[in-house]
Amino acid sequence: MKFGGTSVADKDAICRVVDIVRRQWTSQPKASTPVVVVSALSKVTDGLIRTAAFAREGDGAKAVGLLNELLDRHVALAAALTTGERQQALRAALRAQFEELMGLVQALAVLREVSSRSHDALVSAGELASSRLVAEAFAEKGLPAVWVDARTVVVTDEEHTIAAPDMAASCARCREHLAPLTAGGQMPVLGGFIGATANGVTTTLGRGGSDYSAAIIGACLGVDEIQIWTDVDGMLTADPRLVTKPRVVPRLSFGEASELAYFGAKVLHPSTILPAVAENIPVRILNSRQPQNAGTLITSEGRQEGQLAAIACKRDVTVIDITSTRMFMAHGFLRRLFEVFEKFKTAVDVVTTSEVSVSVTVDDTRRLESILDNLRTFADVACEPAMAIVSIVGERLHDDPTLFAKAITALGGIPLRLVSQAASRRNITFVLRDADVAAAMTRLHDAFFSIPEPAKHAH
Ligand code: ASP
Ligand code: MG
């Protein structure tokens, strides 16, 4: 069970987590005691990153001031959630942890230099502190919680700030440190996002990395299910800012989840659940404010009831048309063309071709002028800003050709700039004017997700 930053943000949130975990624990046979992974309290990682920035600027006093504020927030929560000796010990542990960091930032401020290794030492404090706090809050409320330092369990490479797990080593550590606890009915509580190299140097897995931790640990232990508890009801059928009343997608395949994440569905980044995918472990997204809701279940096969899983979009992209009557059929043309994008480190999203032209979309336009200049050395180039990508996603697109016709009919009248269906055939992508996005999304959503009016019962 992984709880994100907003799910452990304050006293009320942590009390909700206690209830959720207790319900899970008492509803399961004792042999399946949950393992709990928590993020830092909401905004704490951002704060720690700011202390690193102050240190880099040589402002040790500001860095220490901010660390004191963060310490106070944790200590206030410790006081609100625990009592007596437990509270004394927890406060002392938090204080010791933050005092060590204050020494570190002052040293870094003198050097005005924060290496990525020091950066990890600083930002890991958020998850170390939140997991200690949550473990003690659990114990206070009678749950058999044991705090485990995640750095003894998640073994990573040395790529500080974006470390990758060593699965074999992590699995061995999980078997050694976690399995005996759960087998004895105890409930390990650990911080997400953090790990350590084989030599024990603290590392972090990248922003939002607590989901990754949950997937690594879940995969290593071969759990029945990984639950990602967050502050929304799950993946939605469309962006609620564009479509009125989108619905929660009850089930998704891993492939569909990846397509949606690519288009910026922020709930969960599927690359972070790859260890779970590899072990075929279902991942459930749940709302810690509405724990009774079913959420979204992501499994290898998916199996949703409707025709589509969801509709996604990416706004404000630029279409570039590259035309060359002379060169197009010549071998090497596409290589030459894409080398330009590679040279300027700009990712291309959608690609379509016609007889003599290639069209691509990009969303990063920082190097657009240089890209266009380079392309012009061997082709005619036209460029159209303020476009958008709308994508319908679902495994059924694979084998039901009527769905494409249905989408085109729904979009009738809206000018489509590019259309593409990739080999995976789990999405069909339309590129259209950004100004038409809301209309396109609404029409597609009405066509594929409208709920029939409930029948009126005569009583
Ligand atoms: N606390 C880390 C972050 O904010 C990791 C996480 O929340 O998953 O990026
Ligand atoms: Mg998070």
Side-chain angles (χ1 to χ4, degrees):
M1 304 178 79
K2 178 264 174 175
F3 294 89
T6 53
S7 298
V8 292
D10 52 30
K11 183 186 174 206
D12 290 346
I14 294 174
C15 289
R16 280 194 295 272
V17 170
V18 171
D19 291 339
I20 290 166
V21 171
R22 188 193 305 283
R23 224 171 294 131
Q24 179 77 35
W25 176 54
T26 51
S27 71
Q28 296 286 321
K30 282 286 174 287
S32 53
T33 310
V35 176
V36 176
V37 173
V38 295
S39 290
L41 312 184
S42 104
K43 305 271 165 21
V44 167
T45 306
D46 292 335
L48 291 166
I49 289 172
R50 264 190 290 138
T51 65
F54 287 140
R56 206 173 279 123
E57 291 157 14
D59 200 336
K62 268 204 187 135
V64 169
L66 186 46
L67 285 173
N68 263 314
E69 282 173 31
L70 293 173
L71 172 61
D72 288 347
R73 186 168 157 209
H74 286 87
V75 167
L77 269 178
L81 289 162
T82 59
T83 56
E85 275 177 28
R86 174 174 291 120
Q87 186 189 117
Q88 292 314 316
L90 174 57
R91 283 181 184 228
L94 290 168
R95 202 166 295 276
Q97 196 203 325
F98 277 86
E99 273 164 10
E100 193 185 315
L101 286 190
M102 291 174 200
L104 173 64
V105 290
Q106 276 166 321
L108 295 173
V110 172
L111 298 168
R112 292 174 176 257
E113 206 254 301
V114 181
S115 66
S116 55
R117 178 171 166 158
S118 308
H119 194 269
D120 277 352
L122 266 176
V123 299
S124 63
E127 270 71 9
L128 285 174
S130 68
S131 56
R132 277 207 162 94
L133 191 63
V134 168
E136 296 307 329
F138 280 11
E140 182 81 24
K141 299 269 161 56
L143 293 172
V146 189
W147 179 71
V148 176
D149 185 335
R151 296 171 300 181
T152 62
V153 170
V154 178
V155 184
T156 73
D157 62 13
E158 286 164 16
E159 284 291 319
H160 286 282
T161 75
I162 41 157
D166 175 337
M167 288 304 289
S170 300
C171 286
R173 299 287 189 86
C174 283
R175 277 195 296 275
E176 184 186 344
H177 296 292
L178 299 180
L181 291 176
T182 54
Q186 290 185 294
M187 188 185 291
V189 177
L190 19 83
F193 179 56
I194 63 178
T197 64
N199 293 328
V201 180
T202 301
T203 53
T204 60
L205 303 173
R207 290 308 306 268
S210 295
D211 294 342
Y212 202 7
S213 301
I216 294 163
I217 294 166
C220 287
L221 293 173
V223 299
D224 300 328
E225 173 174 295
I226 295 169
Q227 298 178 350
I228 305 287
W229 290 86
T230 176
D231 54 4
V232 295
D233 277 332
M235 293 266 198
L236 295 176
T237 51
D239 185 337
R241 287 164 302 184
L242 290 167
V243 166
T244 47
K245 297 224 177 76
R247 286 147 61 187
V248 174
V249 183
R251 293 191 68 151
L252 278 175
S253 68
F254 286 117
E256 290 167 335
S258 311
E259 307 268 2
L260 292 174
Y262 171 77
F263 287 105
K266 296 225 172 49
V267 179
L268 169 139
H269 203 290
S271 63
T272 64
I273 58 167
L274 277 179
V277 180
E279 296 297 318
N280 210 359
I281 298 171
V283 176
R284 203 183 284 277
I285 302 169
L286 292 151
N287 186 348
S288 66
R289 291 177 172 275
Q290 307 286 338
Q292 70 289 349
N293 292 355
T296 296
L297 179 63
I298 307 174
T299 58
S300 52
E301 75 276 18
R303 269 217 322 267
Q304 85 263 353
E305 288 80 54
Q307 296 171 315
L308 291 186
I311 305 167
C313 72
K314 188 163 180 174
R315 302 196 65 170
D316 199 23
V317 304
T318 296
V319 173
I320 305 172
D321 297 315
I322 304 122
T323 307
S324 171
T325 41
R326 203 161 36 86
M327 284 289 292
F328 186 62
M329 291 304 287
H331 68 85
F333 177 68
L334 289 176
R335 178 177 56 78
R336 196 161 167 200
L337 191 160
F338 285 113
E339 267 169 5
V340 176
F341 291 91
E342 193 196 338
K343 180 168 174 202
F344 295 101
K345 296 189 170 50
T346 296
V348 158
D349 288 327
V350 182
V351 182
T352 66
T353 68
S354 65
E355 284 160 54
V356 292
S357 67
V358 177
S359 300
V360 305
T361 68
V362 298
D363 70 345
D364 175 0
T365 51
R366 283 172 299 172
R367 298 177 192 84
L368 186 60
E369 281 315 313
S370 314
I371 290 171
L372 297 179
D373 286 345
N374 257 264
L375 291 170
R376 282 192 188 107
T377 62
F378 60 92
D380 293 333
V381 182
C383 167
E384 205 171 349
M387 306 297 284
I389 300 171
V390 171
S391 210
I392 60 175
V393 176
E395 297 286 357
R396 297 246 173 114
L397 290 168
H398 225 13
D399 40 42
D400 186 349
T402 66
L403 300 182
F404 181 77
K406 186 169 174 174
I408 291 288
T409 307
L411 290 171
I414 295 177
L416 303 178
R417 189 68 169 64
L418 310 173
V419 178
S420 132
Q421 180 174 33
S424 78
R425 286 189 289 156
R426 83 170 64 85
N427 83 62
I428 297 172
T429 295
F430 305 99
V431 177
L432 36 80
R433 286 192 308 234
D434 194 73
D436 290 331
V437 156
M441 295 283 284
T442 300
R443 290 215 220 152
L444 288 168
H445 199 266
D446 284 349
F448 287 101
F449 296 103
S450 65
I451 315 171
E453 283 287 309
K456 292 200 172 70
H457 293 290
H459 286 291

